[in-house]
Amino acid sequence: LKPNWLKPCMSLQRSLWMDAPGRRPPCPFRLLALTLISRTAALWPTDPVPCRDDLAVVAQRHFYRTGQAAEIGVLKGEFAGTNVDRWRGLYFMIDSWAYRPGDDDVDLNYKSDVDNRRHYMMAKRRVRHAGNRTRLVRGLSTDVAGQFEDG
């Protein structure tokens, strides 16, 4: 079973479900895929991860060695909000939340400090239900990498 048609579940989820306050309801296609996969094999390593929402589940089951995970490029925290529901350890959210001169990614590189502050606050709100298990780290990934031990 290779449910490649499920990979864009985040966009399907947005179009099929209305946002719940602070959290999104589960993607119906992801639930179907997990039901089908659970009958044949465990989620990863035998099957591809059907949806990016399942990465935290895979990490929790197979990579919880240090109890820490990091997301690089958080912006508004939509993905982080989903991940902290499934990841039980400490979750680092790394983003510059600032204008990056010379960065060609004009789509997500906002010059406005007001926009960047708003995105930071949105990310913070999206994970508040996880309490003290989240850390927002401001900076470029290459600049803050030295703050973390290899593991």
Side-chain angles (χ1 to χ4, degrees):
L1 177 64
K2 303 248 187 259
N4 291 330
W5 54 273
L6 291 170
K7 290 183 181 179
C9 75
M10 287 299 288
S11 59
L12 287 171
Q13 181 173 327
R14 286 189 192 108
S15 64
L16 294 174
W17 293 81
M18 295 180 65
D19 287 348
R23 296 184 359 183
R24 297 184 193 288
C27 172
F29 295 103
R30 186 180 66 81
L31 295 175
L32 172 64
L34 291 178
T35 302
L36 295 172
I37 289 170
S38 68
R39 292 181 184 163
T40 59
L43 188 63
W44 199 85
T46 57
D47 285 319
V49 178
C51 175
R52 76 181 207 150
D53 284 354
D54 298 313
L55 290 173
V57 173
V58 170
Q60 183 69 42
R61 288 184 188 168
H62 301 283
F63 301 105
Y64 192 79
R65 193 170 45 139
T66 65
Q68 298 180 359
E71 177 182 341
I72 309 214
V74 177
L75 194 60
K76 299 175 187 175
E78 293 167 333
F79 189 46
T82 301
N83 285 342
V84 296
D85 289 341
R86 293 163 179 85
W87 176 258
R88 306 308 336 144
L90 189 57
Y91 193 84
F92 292 93
M93 300 163 60
I94 302 167
D95 198 296
S96 67
W97 287 293
Y99 179 64
R100 301 172 309 278
D103 189 335
D104 294 333
D105 191 1
V106 294
D107 198 28
L108 301 174
N109 192 9
Y110 297 91
K111 286 185 179 181
S112 166
D113 288 337
V114 172
D115 286 340
N116 288 312
R117 177 74 178 154
R118 184 172 42 91
H119 295 152
Y120 175 85
M121 294 308 293
M122 289 170 79
K124 190 174 183 177
R125 278 193 301 274
R126 282 204 166 99
V127 296
R128 70 176 168 226
H129 64 279
N132 63 357
R133 293 188 303 109
T134 59
R135 305 285 186 281
L136 280 74
V137 180
R138 275 190 144 149
L140 297 174
S141 59
T142 53
D143 295 339
V144 302
Q147 297 176 23
F148 300 91
E149 292 181 28
D150 288 339

